[in-house]
């Protein structure tokens, strides 16, 4: 038994109030799926003796099997081996009874990685950086809404302090932060216990919308883990306080969407930031990385906007990008180079919504940057003005176009393994078809008698 496993088991002995655990993998939609196990089976989970179907990574957003998925019917829905990711056990004290999460990922019987697992896709990209003796340093920003769970449609939450319902935007409101301090304090405390590096929190530009930043870490796999765990933590504590925390890209049609912005730089083996050339312009490597990201952006949009609702966020004049463009200190573009000290020169990728899977998002961003660096791709001139009105290459305008672009893309084929690409495309086509068969109330109100 390894020292790491022994430390986890010793921690569990110190928590006699924990009687059950959650053992889970992350699916293509960023949803954790797995088992509730008795605490005395912790060693079994940590030592790779649990099994789950390979297909659990590829179910649709409702948890339904994908029709025609080779991992289900043609193979007898075979099991894979659940391996512990090595992340320390994660306490969850917001449930009815205290529990803890053991994060897992899938391998085959030989111990080889199962390439349909989204965490494996990111690990493959990071292996390529390691071969070049480069280390991505990643930080993330996640926006979400707190909403009242009682109405059928989202409404602003009731302030725990004033008793009044929030009904207006309150960008950077300290009063709103203070009103929800009880909720925010518990989020920060839970993140501390899980070693999630939370930084600042702000009231964003929407009714009950908040943004919490996660500090940069020199381990992109851990940064993606942190984002997944953070979302789960926020949702759990919101329920405890009588709210729903929504990471939908656009829960309100006329209010701000929720983004998942990613900042990253690259360190060489001596710890130097290779994006820094001593000037605000940044190095050639930085611009090549941007060139790769621009080249792969249209093909990758399905990863950044994976749901029907995602495309409500990617609208003109919304602070969300619609064009394949980059610039310095320009928040209207997809790729922004922030200001600040030259030594901290970095890329901010602004396309993904808060509804996206962090493992796939980071794989797409870092994989495209790597292609740009290896091929020395030129990003063209940076945009210095509003790009919404300019005649520029646009992101796919809708879900169906994004699915087709990802399915047929040559660059995403270099970034993602075939097993994952095929599974994601099949998943999204099935979800698209499900939405297409639903007729909503507004359609009835508009057309039932009028035409």
């Amino acid at each position: 038994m390894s020292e790491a496993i022994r430390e986890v088991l010793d921690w569990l002995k110190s928590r006699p109030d924990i009687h059950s655990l959650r053992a889970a993998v992350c699916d293509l939609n960023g949803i954790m799926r797995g088992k509730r196990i008795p605490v005395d089976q912790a060693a079994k989970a940590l030592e790779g003796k649990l099994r789950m179907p390979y297909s659990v990574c590829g179910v649709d957003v409702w948890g339904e099997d994908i029709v025609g998925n080779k991992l289900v019917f043609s193979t007898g829905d075979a099991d894979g081996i659940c391996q512990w990711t090595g992340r320390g056990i994660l306490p969850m004290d917001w449930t009815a009874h205290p529990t803890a999460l053991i994060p897992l990922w899938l391998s085959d019987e030989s111990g080889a990685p199962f390439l349909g697992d989204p965490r494996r896709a990111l690990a493959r990209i990071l292996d390529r950086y390691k071969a070049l003796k480069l280390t991505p340093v990643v930080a993330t920003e996640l926006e979400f809404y707190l909403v009242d769970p009682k109405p059928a449609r989202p409404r602003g939450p009731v302030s725990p302090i004033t008793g009044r319902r929030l009904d207006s935007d309150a960008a950077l409101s300290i009063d709103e932060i203070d009103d929800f301090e009880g909720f925010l304090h518990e989020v920060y405390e839970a993140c501390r216990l899980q070693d999630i590096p939370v930084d600042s929190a702000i009231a964003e530009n929407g009714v009950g919308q908040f943004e919490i930043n996660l500090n940069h870490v020199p381990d992109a796999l851990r940064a993606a883990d942190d984002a997944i765990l953070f979302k789960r933590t926020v949702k759990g504590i919101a329920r405890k306080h009588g709210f729903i925390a929504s990471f939908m890209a656009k829960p309100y049609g006329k209010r701000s969407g929720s983004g998942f912005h990613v900042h990253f730089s690259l360190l060489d083996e001596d710890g130097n930031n290779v994006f820094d050339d001593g000037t605000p312009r940044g190095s050639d490597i930085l611009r090549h990385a941007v060139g790769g990201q621009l080249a792969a952006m249209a093909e990758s949009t399905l990863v950044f906007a994976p749901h029907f609702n995602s495309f409500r966020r990617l609208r003109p004049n919304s602070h969300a990008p619609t064009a394949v463009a980059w610039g310095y200190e320009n928040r209207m573009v997809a790729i922004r180079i922030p200001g600040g000290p030259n030594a901290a020169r970095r890329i901010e990728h602004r396309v993904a919504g808060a509804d996206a899977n962090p493992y796939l998002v980071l794989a797409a961003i870092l994989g495209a940057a790597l292609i740009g660096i290896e091929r020395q791709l030129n990003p063209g001139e940076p945009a210095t003005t509003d790009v919404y009105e300019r005649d520029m290459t646009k992101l796919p305008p809708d879900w169906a176009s994004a699915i087709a672009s990802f399915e047929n893309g040559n660059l995403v084929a270099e970034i993602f393994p075939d097993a994952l690409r095929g599974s994601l495309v099949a998943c999204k086509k099935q979800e698209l078809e499900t939405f297409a068969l639903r007729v909503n109330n507004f359609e009835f109100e508009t057309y039932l008698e009028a035409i």
Side-chain angles (χ1 to χ4, degrees), residues 127-141:
D127 285 343
R128 291 168 59 187
Y129 275 97
K130 187 175 181 179
L132 296 175
K133 299 182 179 179
L134 293 172
T135 301
V137 178
V138 178
T140 60
E141 302 170 354

Side-chain angles (χ1 to χ4, degrees), residues 297 300-306 310 313 349 351-353 355-356 361 364-365:
M297 189 169 290
S300 307
T301 298
L302 180 64
V303 169
F304 307 135
S310 304
R313 171 178 165 266
H349 198 288
V351 184
D355 56 341
V361 168
I365 290 172

Side-chain angles (χ1 to χ4, degrees), residues 158-182:
V158 173
S159 164
I161 303 300
T162 68
R164 292 194 294 270
R165 186 181 301 280
L166 275 60
D167 61 1
S168 63
D169 296 338
L172 296 174
S173 169
I174 294 298
D175 289 339
E176 198 156 298
I177 289 285
D178 291 345
D179 281 4
F180 292 88
E181 173 61 21

Side-chain angles (χ1 to χ4, degrees), residues 51-168:
R51 302 170 72 89
M52 278 190 250
Y54 292 118
S55 60
V56 74
C57 283
V59 294
D60 68 19
V61 73
W62 300 283
E64 300 284 346
D65 283 331
I66 305 301
V67 175
N69 187 345
K70 294 179 181 179
L71 296 174
V72 182
F73 301 106
S74 62
T75 64
D77 203 10
D79 279 344
I81 307 301
C82 298
Q83 294 182 335
W84 180 36
T85 66
R87 180 73 177 244
I89 198 161
L90 301 155
M92 301 190 301
D93 293 336
W94 57 85
T95 52
H97 300 284
T99 183
L101 173 70
I102 298 176
L104 307 169
W105 53 350
L106 288 171
S107 67
D108 65 22
E109 294 285 353
S110 71
F114 169 56
L115 297 183
D117 184 319
R119 195 173 189 271
R120 298 288 190 186
L122 176 56
R124 283 203 336 158
I125 295 297
L126 297 178
D127 285 343
R128 291 168 59 187
Y129 275 97
K130 187 175 181 179
L132 296 175
K133 299 182 179 179
L134 293 172
T135 301
V137 178
V138 178
T140 60
E141 302 170 354
L142 272 160
E143 296 169 334
F144 62 92
Y145 275 89
L146 289 183
V147 301
D148 187 335
K150 298 180 185 69
R153 294 178 64 85
R155 291 187 68 188
V158 173
S159 164
I161 303 300
T162 68
R164 292 194 294 270
R165 186 181 301 280
L166 275 60
D167 61 1
S168 63

